[in-house]
mmCIF file with all atom_site columns, all heavy atoms in Angstrom:
data_model
loop_
_atom_site.group_PDB
_atom_site.id
_atom_site.type_symbol
_atom_site.label_atom_id
_atom_site.label_alt_id
_atom_site.label_comp_id
_atom_site.label_asym_id
_atom_site.label_entity_id
_atom_site.label_seq_id
_atom_site.pdbx_PDB_ins_code
_atom_site.Cartn_x
_atom_site.Cartn_y
_atom_site.Cartn_z
_atom_site.occupancy
_atom_site.B_iso_or_equiv
_atom_site.pdbx_formal_charge
_atom_site.auth_seq_id
_atom_site.auth_comp_id
_atom_site.auth_asym_id
_atom_site.auth_atom_id
_atom_site.pdbx_PDB_model_num
ATOM 1  N N   . THR B 1 298 ? -48.620 142.997 97.932 1.00 86.00 ? 298 THR B N   1
ATOM 2  C CA  . THR B 1 298 ? -47.851 142.200 96.961 1.00 86.00 ? 298 THR B CA  1
ATOM 3  C C   . THR B 1 298 ? -46.620 142.981 96.504 1.00 86.00 ? 298 THR B C   1
ATOM 4  O O   . THR B 1 298 ? -46.439 143.263 95.325 1.00 86.00 ? 298 THR B O   1
ATOM 5  C CB  . THR B 1 298 ? -48.708 141.860 95.721 1.00 86.00 ? 298 THR B CB  1
ATOM 6  O OG1 . THR B 1 298 ? -49.228 143.103 95.194 1.00 86.00 ? 298 THR B OG1 1
ATOM 7  C CG2 . THR B 1 298 ? -49.840 140.937 96.063 1.00 86.00 ? 298 THR B CG2 1
ATOM 8  N N   . PRO B 1 299 ? -45.751 143.308 97.462 1.00 83.00 ? 299 PRO B N   1
ATOM 9  C CA  . PRO B 1 299 ? -44.569 144.092 97.063 1.00 83.00 ? 299 PRO B CA  1
ATOM 10 C C   . PRO B 1 299 ? -43.528 143.232 96.344 1.00 83.00 ? 299 PRO B C   1
ATOM 11 O O   . PRO B 1 299 ? -42.625 143.768 95.726 1.00 83.00 ? 299 PRO B O   1
ATOM 12 C CB  . PRO B 1 299 ? -44.035 144.627 98.385 1.00 83.00 ? 299 PRO B CB  1
ATOM 13 C CG  . PRO B 1 299 ? -44.474 143.614 99.405 1.00 83.00 ? 299 PRO B CG  1
ATOM 14 C CD  . PRO B 1 299 ? -45.778 143.046 98.910 1.00 83.00 ? 299 PRO B CD  1
ATOM 15 N N   . THR B 1 300 ? -43.650 141.908 96.430 1.00 88.00 ? 300 THR B N   1
ATOM 16 C CA  . THR B 1 300 ? -42.648 141.058 95.755 1.00 88.00 ? 300 THR B CA  1
ATOM 17 C C   . THR B 1 300 ? -43.302 140.286 94.621 1.00 88.00 ? 300 THR B C   1
ATOM 18 O O   . THR B 1 300 ? -44.531 140.155 94.558 1.00 88.00 ? 300 THR B O   1
ATOM 19 C CB  . THR B 1 300 ? -42.030 140.035 96.729 1.00 88.00 ? 300 THR B CB  1
ATOM 20 O OG1 . THR B 1 300 ? -43.057 139.124 97.138 1.00 88.00 ? 300 THR B OG1 1
ATOM 21 C CG2 . THR B 1 300 ? -41.447 140.735 97.968 1.00 88.00 ? 300 THR B CG2 1
ATOM 22 N N   . VAL B 1 381 ? -43.562 154.374 93.212 1.00 90.00 ? 381 VAL B N   1
ATOM 23 C CA  . VAL B 1 381 ? -44.134 153.739 94.396 1.00 90.00 ? 381 VAL B CA  1
ATOM 24 C C   . VAL B 1 381 ? -43.451 152.381 94.540 1.00 90.00 ? 381 VAL B C   1
ATOM 25 O O   . VAL B 1 381 ? -43.686 151.469 93.739 1.00 90.00 ? 381 VAL B O   1
ATOM 26 C CB  . VAL B 1 381 ? -45.660 153.571 94.246 1.00 90.00 ? 381 VAL B CB  1
ATOM 27 C CG1 . VAL B 1 381 ? -46.241 152.940 95.509 1.00 90.00 ? 381 VAL B CG1 1
ATOM 28 C CG2 . VAL B 1 381 ? -46.297 154.922 93.947 1.00 90.00 ? 381 VAL B CG2 1
ATOM 29 N N   . LYS B 1 382 ? -42.620 152.273 95.540 1.00 89.00 ? 382 LYS B N   1
ATOM 30 C CA  . LYS B 1 382 ? -41.779 151.075 95.708 1.00 89.00 ? 382 LYS B CA  1
ATOM 31 C C   . LYS B 1 382 ? -42.614 149.808 95.670 1.00 89.00 ? 382 LYS B C   1
ATOM 32 O O   . LYS B 1 382 ? -43.591 149.670 96.405 1.00 89.00 ? 382 LYS B O   1
ATOM 33 C CB  . LYS B 1 382 ? -41.063 151.148 97.062 1.00 89.00 ? 382 LYS B CB  1
ATOM 34 C CG  . LYS B 1 382 ? -39.588 151.432 96.947 1.00 89.00 ? 382 LYS B CG  1
ATOM 35 C CD  . LYS B 1 382 ? -38.913 151.259 98.314 1.00 89.00 ? 382 LYS B CD  1
ATOM 36 C CE  . LYS B 1 382 ? -37.415 151.387 98.192 1.00 89.00 ? 382 LYS B CE  1
ATOM 37 N NZ  . LYS B 1 382 ? -36.779 151.345 99.528 1.00 89.00 ? 382 LYS B NZ  1
ATOM 38 N N   . GLY B 1 383 ? -42.243 148.875 94.818 1.00 87.00 ? 383 GLY B N   1
ATOM 39 C CA  . GLY B 1 383 ? -42.962 147.602 94.732 1.00 87.00 ? 383 GLY B CA  1
ATOM 40 C C   . GLY B 1 383 ? -44.128 147.645 93.756 1.00 87.00 ? 383 GLY B C   1
ATOM 41 O O   . GLY B 1 383 ? -44.669 146.604 93.397 1.00 87.00 ? 383 GLY B O   1
ATOM 42 N N   . TYR B 1 384 ? -44.511 148.843 93.322 1.00 91.00 ? 384 TYR B N   1
ATOM 43 C CA  . TYR B 1 384 ? -45.673 148.959 92.428 1.00 91.00 ? 384 TYR B CA  1
ATOM 44 C C   . TYR B 1 384 ? -45.377 149.875 91.245 1.00 91.00 ? 384 TYR B C   1
ATOM 45 O O   . TYR B 1 384 ? -46.263 150.536 90.717 1.00 91.00 ? 384 TYR B O   1
ATOM 46 C CB  . TYR B 1 384 ? -46.899 149.459 93.223 1.00 91.00 ? 384 TYR B CB  1
ATOM 47 C CG  . TYR B 1 384 ? -47.274 148.532 94.357 1.00 91.00 ? 384 TYR B CG  1
ATOM 48 C CD1 . TYR B 1 384 ? -46.748 148.715 95.629 1.00 91.00 ? 384 TYR B CD1 1
ATOM 49 C CD2 . TYR B 1 384 ? -48.119 147.439 94.121 1.00 91.00 ? 384 TYR B CD2 1
ATOM 50 C CE1 . TYR B 1 384 ? -47.051 147.840 96.667 1.00 91.00 ? 384 TYR B CE1 1
ATOM 51 C CE2 . TYR B 1 384 ? -48.430 146.558 95.154 1.00 91.00 ? 384 TYR B CE2 1
ATOM 52 C CZ  . TYR B 1 384 ? -47.902 146.765 96.431 1.00 91.00 ? 384 TYR B CZ  1
ATOM 53 O OH  . TYR B 1 384 ? -48.212 145.886 97.443 1.00 91.00 ? 384 TYR B OH  1
ATOM 54 N N   . ILE B 1 385 ? -44.099 149.932 90.852 1.00 92.00 ? 385 ILE B N   1
ATOM 55 C CA  . ILE B 1 385 ? -43.711 150.838 89.765 1.00 92.00 ? 385 ILE B CA  1
ATOM 56 C C   . ILE B 1 385 ? -44.125 150.245 88.421 1.00 92.00 ? 385 ILE B C   1
ATOM 57 O O   . ILE B 1 385 ? -43.895 149.070 88.150 1.00 92.00 ? 385 ILE B O   1
ATOM 58 C CB  . ILE B 1 385 ? -42.189 151.076 89.781 1.00 92.00 ? 385 ILE B CB  1
ATOM 59 C CG1 . ILE B 1 385 ? -41.771 151.703 91.112 1.00 92.00 ? 385 ILE B CG1 1
ATOM 60 C CG2 . ILE B 1 385 ? -41.742 151.931 88.594 1.00 92.00 ? 385 ILE B CG2 1
ATOM 61 C CD1 . ILE B 1 385 ? -40.274 151.683 91.353 1.00 92.00 ? 385 ILE B CD1 1
ATOM 62 N N   . GLY B 1 425 ? -46.655 146.947 87.866 1.00 92.00 ? 425 GLY B N   1
ATOM 63 C CA  . GLY B 1 425 ? -47.155 147.924 88.827 1.00 92.00 ? 425 GLY B CA  1
ATOM 64 C C   . GLY B 1 425 ? -48.061 148.965 88.190 1.00 92.00 ? 425 GLY B C   1
ATOM 65 O O   . GLY B 1 425 ? -47.887 149.346 87.035 1.00 92.00 ? 425 GLY B O   1
ATOM 66 N N   . HIS B 1 432 ? -51.933 146.609 90.791 1.00 92.00 ? 432 HIS B N   1
ATOM 67 C CA  . HIS B 1 432 ? -51.153 146.230 89.616 1.00 92.00 ? 432 HIS B CA  1
ATOM 68 C C   . HIS B 1 432 ? -52.042 146.296 88.387 1.00 92.00 ? 432 HIS B C   1
ATOM 69 O O   . HIS B 1 432 ? -53.266 146.242 88.473 1.00 92.00 ? 432 HIS B O   1
ATOM 70 C CB  . HIS B 1 432 ? -50.608 144.791 89.767 1.00 92.00 ? 432 HIS B CB  1
ATOM 71 C CG  . HIS B 1 432 ? -49.370 144.729 90.614 1.00 92.00 ? 432 HIS B CG  1
ATOM 72 N ND1 . HIS B 1 432 ? -49.408 144.562 91.982 1.00 92.00 ? 432 HIS B ND1 1
ATOM 73 C CD2 . HIS B 1 432 ? -48.047 144.808 90.277 1.00 92.00 ? 432 HIS B CD2 1
ATOM 74 C CE1 . HIS B 1 432 ? -48.168 144.542 92.460 1.00 92.00 ? 432 HIS B CE1 1
ATOM 75 N NE2 . HIS B 1 432 ? -47.320 144.701 91.442 1.00 92.00 ? 432 HIS B NE2 1
#
Side-chain angles (χ1 to χ4, degrees):
Chain B
T298 54
T300 65
V381 181
K382 252 189 174 175
Y384 300 91
I385 300 167
H432 279 89

